[in-house]
Amino acid sequence: MRTRTLLPSLLLLGALSFTAACSSGSDGSSGTGSADGRPGSTPGSTPGPSPVRSVDPSKIKGLQIVSDSSEQSSCPFATSYPDVPGAEAMTAAMKKDVEERLAGFRSGVCEDGSGDAEGRELNISHYFLVASGDVLGVRLSTQDHSGTGSGLSTRTYWYDGKAGAYRTALGLVAEGSRDAFVAALKDQLKGREGFDAALFDDTLSAPDSRTALMDDMVFTADGGLRVTFDRGEVGVPPAGTYVVSLSKETITPWLSGFGKRVQRQTVTPSRSIDLGAADVSEPAVPTHTASGDDDTDCKQVKCLALTFDDGPAAPETGTLLTYLAQYKARATFFTTGQNVAAHPDLVRAETKAGHEVGNHSWNHPDLTNLTPEQIASQLNRTSDAIKAATGKAPTLFRPPYGAINAQVKAATTLSPVMWDVDTEDWKYRDAAKVAQTVIDKAQRSDVVLMHDIHSTSVAAVPQILRTLTAQGYHFVTVSHLRATL
Ligand code: ZN
């Protein structure tokens, strides 16, 4: 059978889940969740006995979100994972997985020269499971609709601050109890439609396969454990994702010492996190304030609207705000919700400095591949995060990859903003080239696309502002440009 023959390659590649079925749907349609990877937020997902607690990432001192994305529909990818001071070993594990998947996608889709992604897209998003006491847990959700991808796959990563070590999900269970644990999982899976007991036994007989297959475990708020198997891993692909929940009473005797600490910090989180990082320094957030409303009349003078997507990012966005203030330039930031949640202080600083904050979805999917409910969730969640940070809801949105259709437009009241000048800064990562592109191509009343997650793009800004200011340009927000034309 198909799944069986594909499984060895799955294990070799570290539990990337492969099936021959190339889903053209948006969320894996099999039920583990929303397009932003949250558990149980899509109809059809398996309800657990208790919710997974959400963690406020803005409370994590020194947190950086490592984001990478394109804005090109012929090569649509967006990846992100967190870098928490002290948990370098865990960050390295996530970085390795993300970079491998991205390299595979780029070589398969972006560099085949056809210039047509045909609905193929890679999206890796993250959220925190626990960030408390001496433990840290993160879940990465990968939507891979490339030729070899299979839709949604998820993995959890754990850090043990006491031992100073990265732990896989299976590290939550004591070694001596793993056989009993596996038997209990099988017991629950038996009788579920599409479950393949022989496949399950084969796969879990080798210790290495166990780690790769049982790579998504999460404690629920009541101390139970939820184990998720990706589509095609333990059953026929059409059956989708399998989620097994074990009660607190069942799982507790089987937990490792680390697992017990994670369980405790999930049920009753400490007020703070301490992973033993030597020196956690937060990059300063600029405190520039706008001098009233912008009275630039773009009918009378030459205006440009610089736009910066995919942020905010620390420290890049803070540096950019300082450059913009030096030239009294205003800009528009199309922020992703997951980065706003991590750095609300930077979004607040953008607003205070007189810039405009727009919506760029929660985790940068191609919205045209989503259902109306998912589109609304992507945009509403992000608008809520922006409003919580700044007190003001956005009125503009930029669809990731510039991908928009009637369904996307119908799902929101936000006004879409595209661009006139594409610097392709995400591709070149070359400050001089970014600056020269803007200086050469920008014309009166243009909207210019850049990304403030890249230090090279931020580094290009002083030269852009210096040169074009000397040519008589004024830098205004998108809404200002629209209102005065
Ligand atoms: Zn973007």
Side-chain angles (χ1 to χ4, degrees):
M1 81 187 258
R2 186 169 63 193
T3 310
R4 231 178 249 279
T5 52
L6 287 166
L7 202 68
S9 56
L10 176 157
L11 296 170
L12 279 173
L13 289 166
L16 278 166
S17 71
F18 280 78
T19 70
C22 178
S23 167
S24 58
S26 54
D27 74 339
S29 56
S30 46
T32 36
S34 59
D36 52 25
R38 284 183 300 166
S41 52
T42 294
S45 63
T46 309
S50 171
V52 173
R53 267 189 210 284
S54 64
V55 173
D56 179 357
S58 70
K59 301 277 190 286
I60 303 171
K61 220 176 155 197
L63 168 66
Q64 287 184 282
I65 306 297
V66 184
S67 310
D68 194 358
S69 45
S70 91
E71 212 69 78
Q72 207 162 65
S73 56
S74 61
C75 171
F77 69 85
T79 63
S80 81
Y81 61 90
D83 180 349
V84 177
E88 284 76 16
M90 184 180 116
T91 307
M94 292 188 285
K95 178 179 160 71
K96 182 170 170 286
D97 286 353
V98 169
E99 288 184 350
E100 275 176 14
R101 289 178 187 217
L102 182 56
F105 180 82
R106 290 186 82 153
S107 68
V109 173
C110 308
E111 281 143 33
D112 72 353
S114 70
D116 182 6
E118 290 168 2
R120 293 177 293 181
E121 176 188 1
L122 177 71
N123 186 286
I124 303 180
S125 61
H126 71 274
Y127 67 91
F128 286 94
L129 300 164
V130 189
S132 172
D134 59 7
V135 301
L136 181 68
V138 171
R139 191 176 200 229
L140 293 193
S141 298
T142 302
Q143 298 273 354
D144 185 351
H145 296 309
S146 65
T148 51
S150 65
L152 180 66
S153 94
T154 52
R155 182 179 287 186
T156 56
Y157 299 78
W158 300 94
Y159 189 75
D160 180 345
K162 193 172 164 194
Y166 161 62
R167 308 272 186 216
T168 62
L170 202 55
L172 300 171
V173 179
E175 245 168 273
S177 302
R178 287 181 190 170
D179 288 341
F181 172 67
V182 167
L185 294 177
K186 187 180 172 186
D187 221 40
Q188 288 224 20
L189 286 163
K190 267 193 265 176
R192 297 242 193 124
E193 209 177 324
F195 174 64
D196 184 339
L199 173 62
F200 183 86
D201 289 343
D202 278 2
T203 309
L204 294 186
S205 55
D208 282 0
S209 334
R210 284 190 176 187
T211 305
L213 197 69
M214 295 192 285
D215 63 351
D216 183 346
M217 299 190 199
V218 175
F219 284 103
T220 49
D222 65 359
L225 189 75
R226 193 182 292 174
V227 184
T228 303
F229 297 95
D230 292 336
R231 175 186 162 93
E233 283 185 337
V234 296
V236 295
T241 301
Y242 290 89
V243 180
V244 178
S245 295
L246 299 176
S247 69
K248 183 180 182 184
E249 292 66 37
T250 306
I251 190 64
T252 302
W254 295 335
L255 294 176
S256 63
F258 174 62
K260 287 192 174 122
R261 281 187 283 130
V262 174
Q263 184 191 43
R264 202 176 316 129
Q265 292 295 345
T266 306
V267 176
T268 326
S270 305
R271 276 164 199 261
S272 61
I273 181 167
D274 181 9
L275 301 177
D279 177 28
V280 180
S281 59
E282 295 266 25
V285 176
T287 54
H288 311 291
T289 45
S291 50
D293 287 340
D294 187 0
D295 57 7
T296 307
D297 183 352
C298 298
K299 283 195 195 70
Q300 304 297 321
V301 297
K302 294 195 288 185
C303 289
L304 282 178
L306 300 182
T307 63
F308 296 93
D309 289 13
D310 300 0
E316 290 81 2
T317 304
T319 308
L320 173 58
L321 287 171
T322 300
Y323 293 153
L324 293 167
Q326 283 164 0
Y327 287 86
K328 296 191 168 37
R330 301 202 195 209
T332 305
F333 293 87
F334 288 100
T335 57
T336 60
Q338 66 182 357
N339 284 356
V340 173
H343 301 298
D345 49 348
L346 285 170
V347 186
R348 209 170 301 128
E350 289 169 355
T351 303
K352 269 195 182 151
H355 305 297
E356 180 163 21
V357 178
N359 185 325
H360 195 41
S361 80
W362 185 264
N363 61 294
H364 212 279
D366 179 336
L367 298 174
T368 64
N369 288 335
L370 305 188
T371 64
E373 294 72 31
Q374 290 172 328
I375 299 166
S377 164
Q378 282 280 333
L379 296 175
N380 294 342
R381 242 185 119 194
T382 303
S383 287
D384 290 349
I386 293 170
K387 188 167 185 202
T390 67
K392 204 175 152 199
T395 59
L396 305 178
F397 87 109
R398 171 167 285 155
Y401 315 110
I404 191 162
N405 59 15
Q407 184 171 268
V408 172
K409 285 181 193 161
T412 182
T413 55
L414 298 168
S415 175
V417 179
M418 309 308 267
W419 56 84
D420 302 299
V421 176
D422 186 354
T423 58
E424 294 191 299
D425 56 340
W426 60 271
K427 198 189 286 178
Y428 297 113
R429 311 287 178 92
D430 178 335
K433 187 162 179 162
V434 171
Q436 204 54 50
T437 302
V438 179
I439 291 162
D440 289 347
K441 289 191 177 170
Q443 296 182 348
R444 185 169 184 166
S445 304
D446 274 354
V447 174
V448 178
L449 171 63
M450 286 182 276
H451 295 83
D452 57 329
I453 54 173
H454 302 309
S455 57
T456 43
S457 304
V458 171
V461 167
Q463 196 193 335
I464 292 168
L465 296 175
R466 189 164 49 241
T467 307
L468 294 179
T469 300
Q471 292 179 18
Y473 281 101
H474 294 254
F475 297 91
V476 299
T477 65
V478 169
S479 286
H480 186 85
L481 183 68
R482 286 181 167 185
T484 60
L485 280 181

